[in-house]
Amino acid sequence: MDLFEKASKAVQNVGENVVNSAKSVGNTIFSTLPEQKDLAGLKIQLNTVTNSLEAYYAQIGRRYMEYIKEYRTEAFDVNDILNEMSEKLKTKAELESEIEEKELEIKNAVLNREKQKAQEEFDRCKAKLENALTMDIITVDEYQEKLAKAQKKLDNFDILRKIELQYKMQIITKQEYEEKIKNVLGE
């Protein structure tokens, strides 16, 4: 009977892991910004235009090879192909510009969400401290000290974010990361 209990627990753990993974994927998909979907569409369009331009370039190359192969004396002319390409080149430039704008929008939206999360974290910390002060669990001095520390963390959000990114990109070590954080927060 002990073997069956172990097997059922293992199956239950696997099931819970699958459910948690599915929830995580669902949250990731749900949190995808509409701008990211637009960006993906623009990149697909750009890829299509780029591929059609490659076909034009191949036509020019084939025509040049024929020109050389036949030892022609007249001027090499591909104006007809270049005229067809001009609209595609214009479209490509517009798409590249739109992609650049969308990427900037996404970057700003992510930054704004992170700033909002930092503000919400500060607000929760402040509410918790006010509650503790009201219940006489901490003193006014402790309240002010902890609130000032939380405020400093919020005020230095951009600097702390950059330090965290440096660490994630492995530009700095964990020790350097911790040292920089302490310096910014004045600990």
Side-chain angles (χ1 to χ4, degrees), residues 64-155:
Y64 183 72
M65 290 305 297
E66 289 172 9
Y67 175 80
I68 290 182
K69 186 177 174 182
E70 296 175 7
Y71 300 110
R72 295 184 184 167
T73 56
E74 73 272 3
F76 178 68
D77 183 29
V78 288
N79 285 333
D80 57 328
I81 297 173
L82 293 176
N83 288 337
E84 291 177 29
M85 288 178 65
S86 66
E87 191 63 36
K88 297 280 185 187
L89 289 168
K90 182 179 173 187
T91 302
K92 182 181 179 190
E94 289 170 357
L95 286 170
E96 288 171 339
S97 176
E98 285 182 55
I99 287 172
E100 192 175 304
E101 289 173 15
K102 280 291 179 203
E103 287 174 340
L104 185 61
E105 273 182 50
I106 290 169
K107 182 180 174 183
N108 288 337
V110 167
L111 182 61
N112 287 337
R113 274 195 306 191
E114 289 177 5
K115 282 184 178 180
Q116 184 178 1
K117 283 173 73 176
Q119 181 65 49
E120 289 169 359
E121 183 180 327
F122 172 77
D123 293 341
R124 281 192 303 273
C125 180
K126 184 177 178 183
K128 182 172 60 173
L129 288 171
E130 287 173 352
N131 190 29
L133 183 63
T134 306
M135 295 173 60
D136 204 28
I137 296 173
I138 60 174
T139 65
V140 173
D141 290 339
E142 290 173 316
Y143 168 81
Q144 290 174 342
E145 178 184 325
K146 293 191 181 291
L147 187 63
K149 190 174 181 179
Q151 184 67 50
K152 193 165 193 175
K153 189 175 178 183
L154 181 64
D155 292 343

Side-chain angles (χ1 to χ4, degrees), residues 14 57 117 160 181:
V14 168
Y57 293 134
K117 283 173 73 176
L160 294 172
I181 296 293

